[in-house]
Amino acid sequence: AVAGGRPEQAGDLVERARMVRSDLGDRRGVGLALAGLGAVAIQTGEHARAGRLLQEAVDTFRRAGDRWGLVSTLWRTAELELARDRPAAAEETLEEALRVVDETRRVRWQAVTRANLAEPVLLRGDVERGRELLEQALAGFSERGDAAAAASVRERLAAVAKPPQRR
């Protein structure tokens, strides 16, 4: 529904999933549904609602000690902060995600987090650190054999290497 441009339908479906998960006592499933509802709210421009839903999901995953749920929801929260034009808040959120994911041996999670973190870092003008994060992400994706993600990061690195164009 989201890919088809029907976010309201997607929201209805995820809300139904949340209710089913709640009835089953599946705390993780409820957290994932909250994060999904937050993602839909970002797409529809309901930023305050997205913030509430994502914070509830973050709290759920923290209580459960669910690192994957927490990190993926922090990624979404950073997406919300960028949509709100708050790159510093996005960077802070992704720094937290990086601390969580660095405690694991999940190379791909680390690579995704570093690639995501590079964007607000670059937005604030720290090209050196942005490149470093992208290079670390590229190494992680390459190590895991993720050719598509590695190619995407290579493209981003190439764009960062180009000097800004003047009018």
Side-chain angles (χ1 to χ4, degrees):
V2 170
R6 299 181 311 278
E8 291 80 15
Q9 182 184 12
D12 291 344
L13 292 168
V14 177
E15 181 59 37
R16 285 178 33 204
R18 186 195 63 77
M19 291 172 19
V20 168
R21 295 300 186 170
S22 182
D23 289 347
L24 293 171
D26 177 4
R27 187 173 36 184
R28 183 171 202 277
V30 169
L32 292 172
L34 289 167
L37 289 168
V40 170
I42 293 168
Q43 287 189 345
T44 59
E46 300 172 84
H47 295 163
R49 180 171 184 259
R52 288 189 304 272
L53 290 162
L54 292 169
Q55 186 58 56
E56 189 175 347
V58 162
D59 293 343
T60 298
F61 294 129
R62 277 198 180 115
R63 280 191 305 272
D66 183 335
R67 288 180 181 169
W68 169 245
L70 177 59
V71 168
S72 64
T73 304
L74 289 171
W75 293 342
R76 288 282 187 214
T77 303
E79 180 184 330
L80 169 62
E81 295 301 354
L82 289 173
R84 289 175 162 169
D85 195 28
R86 295 172 22 180
E91 183 176 354
E92 183 179 321
T93 299
L94 290 166
E95 289 286 2
E96 179 183 354
L98 188 58
R99 286 189 299 275
V100 172
V101 78
D102 274 349
E103 294 174 2
T104 73
R105 293 187 177 166
R106 302 292 184 150
V107 173
R108 189 166 195 296
W109 292 10
Q110 293 167 340
V112 169
T113 304
R114 283 182 170 85
N116 288 339
L117 177 56
E119 294 310 318
V121 167
L122 290 166
L123 281 172
R124 74 172 165 76
D126 190 345
V127 176
E128 184 177 328
R129 180 153 188 255
R131 276 193 200 122
E132 179 182 310
L133 287 162
L134 289 169
E135 287 167 359
Q136 291 169 346
L138 177 59
F141 289 132
S142 296
E143 179 182 330
R144 299 303 303 155
D146 189 336
S152 177
V153 172
R154 277 190 199 94
E155 286 178 23
R156 187 65 181 112
L157 272 166
V160 170
K162 293 179 183 176
Q165 294 183 355
R166 296 179 188 241
R167 291 184 183 215

